[in-house]
C-alpha cells in the first residue's frame, strides 16, 4: 500500500511546480528607510523589518534572567553586540526595556510609538508583573488626592 502512495506522490511532484517562496518574497520586498536611534552618543540603525529571531528570543527571555539571552535579542535588531557597551556606560534595566519596546515598535510601524509612550508601556508591563518602579521625585512631592498641603500650623 505504501508503494502505491509513494508512486502517486512522485506523479504529483512531476505535474506541479514547486512553490518558490524565495522568488515570491524577493518580489514582495519594498525598501523601507531604517530608523536611526542615538544612545550614548552613538547612532544605531534599526533593522528594516523585525526579524523572526527577535520575536522568538523576546518570547523566550521573558522567563530568563541570563544576560546572554538579552545579548542575543539585541544582536537581532542592532546587528552588533551592544549590551556590554551600554552597560559600561550606565544603562539601567528600565532604560534597556524602554529601548527594546521603542525599537521593536519603530521597526514594525515607524513613528507610531514615541520614546515617552515606550516608557509608559514599559512601566505598565513592570507594574503588571509586580515590579513597578519607585515613584520619581515629582510623583513623591505631588499632593495626595483628597488631602491638601498643610501649612505646618495647627488649627
Amino acid at each position: 500500500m505504501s508503494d502505491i502512495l509513494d508512486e502517486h506522490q512522485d506523479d504529483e511532484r512531476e505535474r506541479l511546480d514547486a512553490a518558490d517562496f524565495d522568488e515570491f518574497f524577493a518580489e514582495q520586498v519594498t525598501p523601507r528607510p531604517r530608523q536611526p536611534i542615538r544612545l550614548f552618543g552613538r547612532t544605531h540603525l534599526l533593522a528594516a523589518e523585525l526579524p523572526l529571531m527577535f520575536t522568538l528570543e523576546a518570547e523566550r527571555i521573558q522567563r530568563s534572567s541570563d544576560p546572554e539571552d538579552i545579548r542575543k535579542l539585541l544582536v537581532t535588531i542592532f546587528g552588533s553586540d551592544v549590551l556590554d557597551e551600554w552597560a559600561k556606560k550606565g544603562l539601567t534595566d528600565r532604560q534597556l526595556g524602554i529601548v527594546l519596546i521603542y525599537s521593536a515598535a519603530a521597526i514594525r510601524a515607524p513613528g507610531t510609538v514615541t520614546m515617552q509612550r515606550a516608557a509608559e508601556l514599559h512601566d505598565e508591563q513592570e507594574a503588571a508583573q509586580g515590579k513597578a518602579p519607585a515613584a520619581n521625585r515629582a510623583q513623591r512631592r505631588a499632593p495626595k488626592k483628597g488631602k491638601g498641603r498643610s501649612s505646618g500650623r495647627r488649627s
Side-chain angles (χ1 to χ4, degrees):
M1 181 70 151
S2 173
D3 293 336
I4 296 171
L5 290 176
D6 289 341
E7 270 183 45
H8 179 69
Q9 287 177 341
D10 288 340
D11 291 343
E12 286 295 315
R13 278 189 220 121
E14 289 175 15
R15 286 188 277 155
L16 298 174
D17 290 335
D20 190 344
F21 278 98
D22 294 332
E23 184 179 325
F24 176 74
F25 291 146
E27 292 169 359
Q28 299 292 310
V29 173
T30 50
R32 287 184 1 183
R34 294 173 63 185
Q35 171 74 44
I37 67 165
R38 188 172 302 110
L39 185 57
F40 297 114
R42 183 173 164 202
T43 300
H44 303 271
L45 283 177
L46 298 177
E49 291 188 55
L50 197 60
L52 177 60
M53 283 307 296
F54 176 86
T55 305
L56 296 174
E57 288 292 330
E59 183 65 30
R60 193 170 68 79
I61 70 167
Q62 287 181 2
R63 295 172 295 281
S64 172
S65 59
D66 185 353
E68 285 306 309
D69 290 336
I70 296 168
R71 192 179 320 280
K72 289 176 193 173
L73 182 67
L74 289 172
V75 167
T76 64
I77 57 176
F78 292 101
S80 63
D81 196 2
V82 295
L83 183 60
D84 291 330
E85 175 189 335
W86 292 348
K88 287 177 186 172
K89 293 190 178 190
L91 188 74
T92 66
D93 181 58
R94 179 176 182 268
Q95 291 169 333
L96 176 61
I98 293 167
V99 168
L100 286 173
I101 289 169
Y102 176 85
S103 298
I107 294 169
R108 282 187 184 113
T112 58
V113 174
T114 65
M115 289 181 278
Q116 179 61 41
R117 182 64 182 139
E120 291 166 0
L121 290 169
H122 175 272
D123 294 346
E124 289 170 11
Q125 287 176 0
E126 291 290 297
Q129 295 173 357
K131 303 183 217 173
N136 66 29
R137 180 184 233 189
Q139 290 169 328
R140 287 191 308 266
R141 292 180 178 219
K144 306 287 186 246
K145 289 184 180 180
K147 295 183 179 178
R149 288 193 74 115
S150 170
S151 65
R153 286 186 266 152
R154 291 192 136 152
S155 327

